[in-house]
Short mmCIF file of all heavy atoms in Angstrom, two decimals:
data_model
loop_
_atom_site.label_atom_id
_atom_site.label_comp_id
_atom_site.label_asym_id
_atom_site.label_seq_id
_atom_site.Cartn_x
_atom_site.Cartn_y
_atom_site.Cartn_z
N LEU A 1 0.14 11.85 -15.72
CA LEU A 1 1.16 10.88 -15.31
C LEU A 1 0.53 9.75 -14.51
O LEU A 1 0.92 8.58 -14.66
CB LEU A 1 2.25 11.57 -14.49
CG LEU A 1 3.42 10.66 -14.09
CD1 LEU A 1 4.12 10.09 -15.33
CD2 LEU A 1 4.43 11.40 -13.20
N ARG A 2 -0.46 10.07 -13.68
CA ARG A 2 -1.17 9.01 -12.95
C ARG A 2 -1.72 7.97 -13.91
O ARG A 2 -1.54 6.76 -13.71
CB ARG A 2 -2.31 9.63 -12.14
CG ARG A 2 -3.18 8.58 -11.42
CD ARG A 2 -4.51 9.17 -10.97
NE ARG A 2 -5.35 9.57 -12.08
CZ ARG A 2 -6.08 8.74 -12.83
NH1 ARG A 2 -6.04 7.43 -12.60
NH2 ARG A 2 -6.81 9.20 -13.83
N ARG A 3 -2.38 8.43 -14.98
CA ARG A 3 -2.96 7.49 -15.95
C ARG A 3 -1.88 6.67 -16.64
O ARG A 3 -2.05 5.45 -16.85
CB ARG A 3 -3.79 8.25 -16.98
CG ARG A 3 -5.04 8.90 -16.43
CD ARG A 3 -6.01 9.30 -17.54
NE ARG A 3 -5.34 10.09 -18.60
CZ ARG A 3 -5.25 11.41 -18.59
NH1 ARG A 3 -5.74 12.10 -17.56
NH2 ARG A 3 -4.67 12.05 -19.57
N ARG A 4 -0.79 7.30 -17.00
CA ARG A 4 0.27 6.57 -17.72
C ARG A 4 0.92 5.53 -16.81
O ARG A 4 1.26 4.42 -17.27
CB ARG A 4 1.30 7.56 -18.26
CG ARG A 4 0.80 8.35 -19.46
CD ARG A 4 1.89 9.18 -20.10
NE ARG A 4 1.39 9.87 -21.28
CZ ARG A 4 1.31 9.34 -22.49
NH1 ARG A 4 1.71 8.09 -22.68
NH2 ARG A 4 0.85 10.04 -23.52
N LEU A 5 1.14 5.86 -15.55
CA LEU A 5 1.72 4.88 -14.64
C LEU A 5 0.79 3.68 -14.46
O LEU A 5 1.24 2.53 -14.37
CB LEU A 5 2.01 5.53 -13.28
CG LEU A 5 3.13 6.57 -13.26
CD1 LEU A 5 3.21 7.26 -11.89
CD2 LEU A 5 4.48 5.95 -13.60
N LYS A 6 -0.49 3.95 -14.44
CA LYS A 6 -1.46 2.87 -14.32
C LYS A 6 -1.51 2.04 -15.60
O LYS A 6 -1.48 0.79 -15.54
CB LYS A 6 -2.85 3.46 -14.02
CG LYS A 6 -3.97 2.44 -13.89
CD LYS A 6 -5.28 3.12 -13.55
CE LYS A 6 -6.41 2.11 -13.38
NZ LYS A 6 -6.70 1.38 -14.64
N ASP A 7 -1.57 2.71 -16.76
CA ASP A 7 -1.73 1.99 -18.02
C ASP A 7 -0.46 1.29 -18.46
O ASP A 7 -0.51 0.16 -18.98
CB ASP A 7 -2.19 2.97 -19.11
CG ASP A 7 -3.57 3.53 -18.85
OD1 ASP A 7 -4.31 2.95 -18.04
OD2 ASP A 7 -3.90 4.58 -19.46
N GLU A 8 0.70 1.94 -18.29
CA GLU A 8 1.95 1.38 -18.81
C GLU A 8 2.67 0.47 -17.82
O GLU A 8 3.35 -0.47 -18.23
CB GLU A 8 2.88 2.51 -19.24
CG GLU A 8 2.33 3.36 -20.39
CD GLU A 8 3.35 4.32 -20.96
OE1 GLU A 8 4.56 4.01 -20.91
OE2 GLU A 8 2.94 5.39 -21.46
N LEU A 9 2.54 0.75 -16.52
CA LEU A 9 3.23 -0.07 -15.52
C LEU A 9 2.27 -0.90 -14.68
O LEU A 9 2.71 -1.77 -13.93
CB LEU A 9 4.07 0.83 -14.60
CG LEU A 9 5.16 1.67 -15.29
CD1 LEU A 9 5.93 2.48 -14.24
CD2 LEU A 9 6.11 0.79 -16.08
N GLY A 10 0.96 -0.63 -14.80
CA GLY A 10 -0.02 -1.40 -14.05
C GLY A 10 -0.05 -1.07 -12.58
O GLY A 10 -0.48 -1.88 -11.75
N TRP A 11 0.37 0.14 -12.21
CA TRP A 11 0.46 0.52 -10.81
C TRP A 11 -0.85 1.09 -10.28
O TRP A 11 -1.63 1.69 -11.03
CB TRP A 11 1.55 1.57 -10.63
CG TRP A 11 2.95 1.06 -10.80
CD1 TRP A 11 3.34 -0.21 -11.12
CD2 TRP A 11 4.15 1.81 -10.64
NE1 TRP A 11 4.71 -0.29 -11.18
CE2 TRP A 11 5.24 0.94 -10.89
CE3 TRP A 11 4.42 3.14 -10.32
CZ2 TRP A 11 6.57 1.34 -10.84
CZ3 TRP A 11 5.74 3.56 -10.25
CH2 TRP A 11 6.80 2.68 -10.51
N GLU A 12 -1.05 0.94 -8.98
CA GLU A 12 -2.13 1.64 -8.29
C GLU A 12 -1.63 3.06 -8.01
O GLU A 12 -0.65 3.26 -7.29
CB GLU A 12 -2.49 0.95 -6.97
CG GLU A 12 -3.59 1.68 -6.21
CD GLU A 12 -3.88 1.08 -4.85
OE1 GLU A 12 -3.58 -0.11 -4.66
OE2 GLU A 12 -4.38 1.82 -3.98
N THR A 13 -2.30 4.04 -8.57
CA THR A 13 -1.82 5.41 -8.49
C THR A 13 -2.95 6.35 -8.10
O THR A 13 -4.13 6.08 -8.37
CB THR A 13 -1.25 5.89 -9.84
OG1 THR A 13 -2.27 5.78 -10.84
CG2 THR A 13 -0.04 5.08 -10.25
N LEU A 14 -2.60 7.46 -7.47
CA LEU A 14 -3.59 8.49 -7.18
C LEU A 14 -2.89 9.84 -7.06
O LEU A 14 -1.69 9.93 -6.80
CB LEU A 14 -4.38 8.18 -5.91
CG LEU A 14 -3.65 8.08 -4.57
CD1 LEU A 14 -3.52 9.45 -3.91
CD2 LEU A 14 -4.39 7.14 -3.64
N VAL A 15 -3.67 10.90 -7.29
CA VAL A 15 -3.20 12.28 -7.13
C VAL A 15 -3.82 12.81 -5.84
O VAL A 15 -5.03 13.01 -5.77
CB VAL A 15 -3.62 13.15 -8.32
CG1 VAL A 15 -3.17 14.60 -8.11
CG2 VAL A 15 -3.05 12.60 -9.62
N PRO A 16 -3.02 13.03 -4.80
CA PRO A 16 -3.60 13.45 -3.51
C PRO A 16 -4.05 14.91 -3.53
O PRO A 16 -3.51 15.74 -4.25
CB PRO A 16 -2.44 13.26 -2.54
CG PRO A 16 -1.20 13.42 -3.38
CD PRO A 16 -1.56 12.86 -4.73
N ASP A 17 -5.06 15.20 -2.73
CA ASP A 17 -5.50 16.57 -2.51
C ASP A 17 -4.61 17.23 -1.46
O ASP A 17 -3.97 16.55 -0.64
CB ASP A 17 -6.95 16.60 -2.01
CG ASP A 17 -7.93 16.06 -3.04
OD1 ASP A 17 -7.66 16.24 -4.25
OD2 ASP A 17 -8.95 15.48 -2.62
N HIS A 18 -4.60 18.56 -1.48
CA HIS A 18 -3.84 19.28 -0.47
C HIS A 18 -4.37 18.96 0.93
O HIS A 18 -5.59 18.91 1.16
CB HIS A 18 -3.92 20.79 -0.71
CG HIS A 18 -3.20 21.59 0.32
ND1 HIS A 18 -1.82 21.60 0.42
CD2 HIS A 18 -3.65 22.42 1.31
CE1 HIS A 18 -1.46 22.39 1.41
NE2 HIS A 18 -2.55 22.89 1.97
N ALA A 19 -3.46 18.70 1.85
CA ALA A 19 -3.75 18.40 3.26
C ALA A 19 -4.39 17.03 3.47
O ALA A 19 -4.85 16.73 4.58
CB ALA A 19 -4.61 19.49 3.90
N SER A 20 -4.43 16.19 2.43
CA SER A 20 -4.99 14.84 2.59
C SER A 20 -3.96 13.92 3.24
O SER A 20 -2.75 14.10 3.10
CB SER A 20 -5.42 14.28 1.24
OG SER A 20 -4.32 14.21 0.34
N SER A 21 -4.46 12.90 3.96
CA SER A 21 -3.60 11.94 4.66
C SER A 21 -3.95 10.53 4.23
O SER A 21 -5.12 10.22 3.94
CB SER A 21 -3.77 12.06 6.17
OG SER A 21 -3.33 13.31 6.65
N TYR A 22 -2.94 9.66 4.22
CA TYR A 22 -3.13 8.27 3.82
C TYR A 22 -2.35 7.36 4.77
O TYR A 22 -1.23 7.70 5.18
CB TYR A 22 -2.64 8.05 2.38
CG TYR A 22 -3.42 8.86 1.37
CD1 TYR A 22 -3.04 10.16 1.08
CD2 TYR A 22 -4.54 8.33 0.75
CE1 TYR A 22 -3.77 10.93 0.17
CE2 TYR A 22 -5.27 9.09 -0.16
CZ TYR A 22 -4.87 10.38 -0.44
OH TYR A 22 -5.59 11.13 -1.34
N PRO A 23 -2.93 6.20 5.11
CA PRO A 23 -2.20 5.26 5.96
C PRO A 23 -1.10 4.57 5.18
O PRO A 23 -1.24 4.28 3.98
CB PRO A 23 -3.28 4.27 6.38
CG PRO A 23 -4.28 4.31 5.27
CD PRO A 23 -4.27 5.73 4.77
N LEU A 24 0.00 4.33 5.82
CA LEU A 24 1.10 3.52 5.27
C LEU A 24 1.07 2.22 6.05
O LEU A 24 1.40 2.18 7.25
CB LEU A 24 2.44 4.24 5.44
CG LEU A 24 2.54 5.64 4.81
CD1 LEU A 24 3.88 6.28 5.12
CD2 LEU A 24 2.32 5.57 3.30
N VAL A 25 0.67 1.16 5.39
CA VAL A 25 0.38 -0.09 6.08
C VAL A 25 1.61 -1.00 6.06
O VAL A 25 2.12 -1.35 4.99
CB VAL A 25 -0.81 -0.81 5.41
CG1 VAL A 25 -1.10 -2.12 6.14
CG2 VAL A 25 -2.04 0.09 5.43
#
């Protein structure tokens, strides 16, 4: 699904690892 969202909608996508954190800017 990550690849399809990127290819079909042009979105920046990623699959997070368990316990990973990301900033919300």
Side-chain angles (χ1 to χ4, degrees):
L1 184 61
R2 176 196 65 79
R3 293 196 309 270
R4 286 187 177 276
L5 291 174
K6 179 179 182 296
D7 294 343
E8 296 190 29
L9 300 181
W11 289 2
E12 179 185 336
T13 58
L14 63 87
V15 178
D17 296 328
H18 178 69
S20 59
S21 296
Y22 297 87
L24 303 176
V25 180

